[in-house]
Amino acid sequence: MSNLPGATPQNLIRNFSIIAHIDHGKSTLADRMLQLTGVVEQRLMRNQYLDKMDIERERGITIKSQTVRMPWKYKDQDYVLNMIDTPGHVDFSYEVSRSLAACEGCILLVDAAQGIQAQTLANLYIALDNDLEIIPVLNKIDLPAADVARNEQELSQLIGCSSDDIYKISGKTGQGVSELLDAIVNKVSAPKGDNKAKTRALIFDSAYDSFRGVITYIRVIDGLIQARENIKMMSTLTTHELLEVGVLAPEMSKQKSLGTGEVGYLITGVKNVSGSKVGDTITINSAPANSPLAGYVEPKPMVYSGLYPVDGSDYPVLREALDKLKLSDAALVYEPETSVALGFGFRLGFLGLLHLEIVRERLEREFNLDLISTMPNVIYTVTPEGNKPRVVTNPSEFPQGKVSQVKEPVVRATIVTPKEFVGTVMELCQKRRGFMDKMVYLSQVRVELIYILPLAEIVFDFFNQLKSRTKGYASLDYEAAGQKDADLVRVDVLLQGDKVDAFSAIVHKDEAYTYGVMITEKLQKLIPRQLFEVPIQAAIGSRIIARQNVRALRKDVLAKCYGGDVTRKRKLLEKQKEGKKKMKSIGSVQVPKEAFIAALSFE
């Protein structure tokens, strides 16, 4: 491909994306496309080529979206296909929406054995909102369990096409992939931007390189971007000199410029990802565009959790690790906090539970840390009686005394399940304080249920419960749906009358007693016996709602008494009782770190 400015005419560019549920073969299909177009040599080829992280490969999920430029010949004409990969999990739906905004078409990939899943539907609706050309594809048709006819019917009903319009492929064997690449050229429209207008480019992702700084992935919507120009970020109004522009094919290939409709990367030498915000608009500083591209929002944390090093001396290492991780993950929010029980740590904000798991796993692997994470909490708005509303992200911030109103975040959850599990799914949702919005039969055997559920009920173990009740067949997707009033209370745990902030939780009033009994019983088993009796209490304010005792270790003081008057025995027992009483008043309860890890583990 030539390096001259505007070397690729707009009518020969096709920008497309692949949307699919986790484990429906998106990365495998991308591998076959890389092989067929010849951009990766056979000797360098490996499975899941575009998934760079170990965690992505092990879990079979895409966490960071990737982009690749591929040449393809169709009817003796050379075309350029830009594939913008998308993450496949609900936590990263904003990144998915920005990746789709950079495309004109998308491949809707459905596993021929599993059928349509909730995440597929969610991403399909984003694609329809962006007015993209949708190419329906059934993957894994070579599997013995594939039910092509049924899933073909479901797909054609869902997007209103005939079964002849659905491409049947196998990402593993490569069957039908070249026909799919022809269809992309044929069906996806060329970019429609104005190459003479003022420059506007959409940032759809960014990554951090320890040598070169931040690498920003962009799609040029209008105009032209050339190296050595001064660019401006329209949301932060910061300006940078452009050191390098290029395309990913799939490794970085330097170019003189990127024209309208092209997808590539920029390097400015900046060392902080927060300067390249996903969804922001880049323009040329000397001739800025009048208005930014629509759709940019700041990513907001939905779940908060505390992270503490098991060894307190690792606190500076954890701080440094978070600073480095923040360079490659702009959605990560953190601030220092202290806990009486756990010492120094950080309160982190995450996009969801998967984001939490991945951040924790990366910290433990890449920086060799042992961490305790407290139970995840959502953001509440609490109004104490006669006071202004306050935002609460940690149970210890929940005000004492009378509270006039508590608002909690709710989500609109989409669950796709086989019809025989509808009853058990409805029972689970009602148990978790959900109410049904609607129910749609996607086909004779699959049902889509839409529930409004409190986010706090989803972040704990809802997904695990859903999977176990439906034998793994149900899938879940959710989106924020505002806040609603809730009857919530703070349950504290007292050890020998002293509050332990790490075990406090904000729960629904009806569930408070159950939580109190559960945590006290759990701690009774975990806290080792002391030389004195230890009462473990769960309390709402000053009212005790549950109690367990850790029995004292006792020496057998009656061992030397054989026969004689009973008063001798009584005297010895009374003396022991006095000693225990004195010890209780001056002794402190030793809670081992293992007990905290086991009691606070939400896995």
Side-chain angles (χ1 to χ4, degrees):
M1 199 65 65
S2 166
N3 282 357
L4 293 170
T8 310
Q10 266 173 257
N11 64 324
L12 300 180
I13 299 173
R14 298 289 184 271
N15 297 326
F16 73 98
S17 184
I18 306 174
I19 55 176
H21 192 77
I22 293 170
D23 202 30
H24 276 212
K26 186 156 56 80
S27 298
T28 311
L29 174 59
D31 288 348
R32 292 299 80 74
M33 287 181 169
L34 295 177
Q35 281 180 307
L36 274 171
T37 54
V39 291
V40 179
E41 291 178 45
Q42 194 58 44
R43 65 189 178 86
L44 297 173
M45 193 65 204
R46 61 169 195 266
N47 288 341
Q48 292 169 258
Y49 188 89
L50 295 178
D51 291 343
K52 300 280 193 286
M53 287 186 223
D54 289 343
I55 301 173
E56 289 182 310
R57 300 171 156 282
E58 286 166 23
R59 290 180 175 228
I61 54 173
T62 302
I63 296 164
K64 291 289 282 180
S65 56
Q66 305 291 336
T67 177
V68 61
R69 178 187 177 111
M70 302 178 286
W72 187 246
K73 205 180 197 80
Y74 178 67
K75 291 186 178 174
D76 296 327
Q77 177 67 60
D78 288 325
Y79 289 87
V80 167
L81 308 181
N82 287 312
M83 184 183 75
I84 300 168
D85 194 11
T86 59
H89 193 274
V90 56
D91 287 4
F92 308 111
S93 56
Y94 174 63
E95 282 92 329
V96 173
S97 75
R98 296 304 82 209
S99 293
L100 293 179
C103 302
E104 278 74 37
C106 76
I107 292 169
L108 177 66
L109 194 68
V110 174
D111 186 326
Q114 296 180 54
I116 295 162
Q117 304 283 304
Q119 187 67 47
T120 323
L121 284 176
N123 290 344
L124 171 63
Y125 297 145
I126 297 172
L128 291 170
D129 288 345
N130 282 313
D131 206 20
L132 302 188
E133 176 64 43
I134 289 156
I135 301 172
V137 177
L138 276 179
N139 190 20
K140 306 190 186 180
I141 56 166
D142 56 316
L143 288 182
D147 189 343
V148 176
R150 178 171 66 80
N151 289 311
E152 202 172 44
Q153 187 191 354
E154 262 185 42
L155 252 180
S156 56
Q157 278 179 358
L158 181 67
I159 57 175
C161 65
S162 79
S163 55
D164 298 335
D165 298 330
I166 298 168
Y167 290 82
K168 297 156 200 75
I169 66 158
S170 166
K172 191 175 180 181
T173 63
Q175 180 186 338
V177 179
S178 56
E179 289 84 349
L180 182 58
L181 288 165
D182 288 346
I184 291 165
V185 173
N186 225 342
K187 295 188 172 186
V188 176
S189 59
K192 293 186 176 68
D194 183 352
N195 55 9
K196 293 187 173 63
K198 288 180 176 177
T199 302
R200 291 194 304 173
L202 171 75
I203 299 176
F204 61 84
D205 200 11
S206 60
Y208 183 75
D209 182 285
S210 49
F211 298 107
R212 313 186 77 182
V214 177
I215 299 164
T216 307
Y217 300 122
I218 62 156
R219 147 81 197 268
V220 184
I221 305 294
D222 299 313
L224 182 80
I225 284 188
Q226 292 177 296
R228 294 294 164 192
E229 284 187 305
N230 270 347
I231 58 165
K232 183 181 196 174
M233 308 289 183
M234 292 188 82
S235 77
T236 57
L237 302 178
T238 53
T239 57
H240 309 286
E241 188 192 354
L242 206 50
L243 304 178
E244 186 182 312
V245 298
V247 296
L248 291 125
E251 306 308 323
M252 294 196 320
S253 167
K254 196 172 172 181
Q255 308 280 302
K256 287 184 180 174
S257 67
L258 290 175
T260 303
E262 292 206 274
V263 175
Y265 68 89
L266 309 175
I267 294 176
T268 57
V270 175
K271 296 287 183 187
N272 193 345
V273 172
S274 56
S276 294
K277 295 179 174 178
V278 172
D280 199 358
T281 306
I282 290 177
T283 188
I284 304 300
N285 194 35
S286 55
N290 300 325
S291 61
L293 298 160
Y296 171 70
V297 291
E298 284 276 350
K300 290 186 176 69
M302 289 180 77
V303 177
Y304 282 83
S305 176
L307 273 187
Y308 295 84
V310 170
D311 181 353
S313 62
D314 281 340
Y315 176 73
V317 183
L318 177 59
R319 179 190 286 277
E320 197 180 320
L322 284 168
D323 289 343
K324 285 181 179 172
L325 202 59
K326 175 78 176 166
L327 294 174
S328 62
D329 188 349
L332 186 65
V333 179
Y334 60 92
E335 56 179 32
E337 76 167 1
T338 55
S339 158
V340 176
L342 301 170
F344 290 100
F346 290 89
R347 187 128 199 100
L348 282 80
F350 303 96
L351 299 172
L353 271 193
L354 181 80
H355 190 207
L356 188 162
E357 279 181 44
I358 284 160
V359 166
R360 181 178 161 174
E361 202 164 322
R362 285 186 68 186
L363 287 168
E364 289 181 338
R365 280 184 186 204
E366 294 172 26
F367 302 97
N368 203 19
L369 288 162
D370 280 333
L371 300 172
I372 300 173
S373 56
T374 60
M375 285 183 197
N377 284 294
V378 298
I379 305 160
Y380 301 99
T381 307
V382 184
T383 311
E385 223 165 56
N387 261 320
K388 289 181 183 174
R390 62 166 88 164
V391 173
V392 170
T393 61
N394 191 343
S396 61
E397 296 167 2
F398 198 90
Q400 299 279 20
K402 288 197 172 178
V403 170
S404 59
Q405 188 189 45
V406 182
K407 283 183 176 288
E408 67 172 342
V410 292
V411 294
R412 191 169 186 268
T414 305
I415 299 164
V416 176
T417 177
K419 67 176 182 183
E420 62 263 32
F421 300 118
V422 168
T424 185
V425 170
M426 287 167 80
E427 186 197 341
L428 174 66
C429 292
Q430 281 156 7
K431 197 176 165 188
R432 296 302 178 93
R433 300 190 283 127
F435 68 89
M436 191 192 281
D437 189 23
K438 66 177 178 182
M439 176 171 161
V440 180
Y441 272 80
L442 297 171
S443 70
Q444 292 174 345
V445 290
R446 291 163 75 73
V447 184
E448 179 188 18
L449 297 164
I450 295 173
Y451 267 88
I452 304 298
L453 282 154
L455 179 61
E457 297 287 353
I458 281 188
V459 299
F460 199 60
D461 65 341
F462 182 83
F463 189 62
N464 293 346
Q465 287 286 328
L466 181 69
K467 284 290 183 190
S468 65
R469 282 168 182 245
T470 60
K471 299 179 183 173
Y473 284 111
S475 58
L476 169 74
D477 183 78
Y478 59 86
E479 61 184 7
Q483 287 189 319
K484 70 165 191 177
D485 289 355
D487 196 359
L488 302 174
V489 291
R490 177 173 123 187
V491 178
D492 290 313
V493 173
L494 308 158
L495 286 182
Q496 209 182 325
D498 295 330
K499 259 183 214 164
V500 183
D501 55 353
F503 296 131
S504 297
I506 299 168
V507 294
H508 193 267
K509 201 170 185 176
D510 296 344
E511 295 293 318
Y513 174 71
T514 312
Y515 175 77
V517 170
M518 182 272 293
I519 195 79
T520 51
E521 284 180 354
K522 206 171 184 183
L523 287 171
Q524 186 201 22
K525 290 171 189 163
L526 294 166
I527 293 174
R529 288 168 70 183
Q530 321 276 319
L531 289 170
F532 49 90
E533 187 177 70
V534 179
I536 304 166
Q537 297 164 310
I540 299 171
S542 58
R543 185 164 63 88
I544 306 298
I545 57 168
R547 172 176 173 142
Q548 294 288 338
N549 289 334
V550 178
R551 288 175 55 216
L553 285 169
R554 284 183 178 274
K555 182 183 174 188
D556 188 358
V557 291
L558 303 181
K560 59 188 175 184
C561 288
Y562 46 92
D565 188 24
V566 74
T567 52
R568 280 183 67 202
K569 292 182 182 177
R570 200 171 290 148
K571 192 176 170 186
L572 286 167
L573 288 170
E574 285 297 324
K575 193 176 175 187
Q576 186 185 41
K577 195 174 174 184
E578 286 300 314
K580 293 287 178 197
K581 202 170 172 183
K582 186 180 174 187
M583 201 177 279
K584 189 172 184 176
S585 65
I586 59 165
S588 61
V589 184
Q590 300 298 314
V591 184
K593 276 281 194 310
E594 294 73 32
F596 277 109
I597 297 167
L600 295 174
S601 66
F602 59 88
E603 280 85 0

